[in-house]
Amino acid sequence: MLHFFINKYSRTTGRKIKKVAASVLHQLRSYSWPGNVRELEHLIERNILLSTDGVLDTIEIPKTTASDQSQEAALMNRSLEDVERSYILQTLKRCGGKISGAGGAAEILQVPGNTLHSKIKNCKSAKVNTSIRPQCLSSTIYSVIKWKAS
């Protein structure tokens, strides 16, 4: 994608970029990219306009915001089991509760359907509120979680 945007904006700005420094590639790979592809596109366009010698040897990547840092801190203070549970539930919510099959959570998470069923069954922590069934869970899965939590 990087090379696509470099070629695109080299043509439109009339500035030929011949080389991208290894440090720039490292910075781009290590950035968390909270935005979408447009964020990368605008970043490349801006840095091509700032380039004077045909080499992208520096790049101005946005600093992380306080909310980004607080989200990272929140993740760092949770167990792997909690993070996994949250991620599975968010994925199930996006899939409308569908676990396996085309467009199901298992496909998105790239795990076999049986593995995801097992992980859902193991969500038996006291932190799971079993009095209210989340809309993202099917009644069958909710019953399993409720049964395991009691």
Side-chain angles (χ1 to χ4, degrees):
M1 229 187 274
L2 171 68
H3 296 292
F4 172 79
F5 290 132
I6 287 175
N7 290 334
K8 177 180 177 180
Y9 289 106
S10 289
R11 274 185 265 120
T12 59
T13 62
R15 295 177 184 245
K16 183 71 176 156
I17 301 298
K18 300 171 191 150
K19 183 180 175 190
V20 178
S23 61
V24 169
L25 291 173
H26 177 72
Q27 283 180 295
L28 291 171
R29 285 187 185 125
S30 62
Y31 184 58
S32 65
W33 297 105
N36 54 24
V37 176
R38 286 190 198 118
E39 184 180 3
L40 173 64
E41 182 176 8
H42 293 287
L43 184 68
I44 298 303
E45 179 183 21
R46 189 173 334 120
N47 284 280
I48 286 175
L49 290 169
L50 295 172
S51 173
T52 57
D53 57 358
V55 177
L56 280 181
D57 51 2
T58 59
I59 195 157
E60 297 296 322
I61 292 186
K63 303 289 184 223
T64 57
T65 63
S67 65
D68 293 341
Q69 291 173 347
S70 66
Q71 286 176 350
E72 286 178 27
L75 282 176
M76 293 177 77
N77 291 323
R78 294 173 62 194
S79 70
L80 179 59
E81 186 177 293
D82 287 343
V83 173
E84 185 178 63
R85 180 184 305 110
S86 295
Y87 190 59
I88 288 171
L89 288 174
Q90 288 173 2
T91 306
L92 283 167
K93 200 177 288 185
R94 284 186 305 184
C95 297
K98 185 175 182 180
I99 296 173
S100 53
E107 180 182 65
I108 291 170
L109 295 170
Q110 297 178 353
V111 296
N114 292 338
T115 301
L116 185 56
H117 278 281
S118 297
K119 288 185 179 293
I120 291 170
K121 285 179 185 179
N122 291 329
C123 289
K124 61 178 185 168
S125 169
K127 294 177 185 173
V128 175
N129 183 356
T130 58
S131 62
I132 301 170
R133 178 173 72 91
Q135 292 180 354
C136 67
L137 296 178
S138 68
S139 58
T140 306
I141 297 304
Y142 172 70
S143 312
V144 170
I145 292 173
K146 186 173 180 178
W147 176 78
K148 285 285 195 175
S150 58

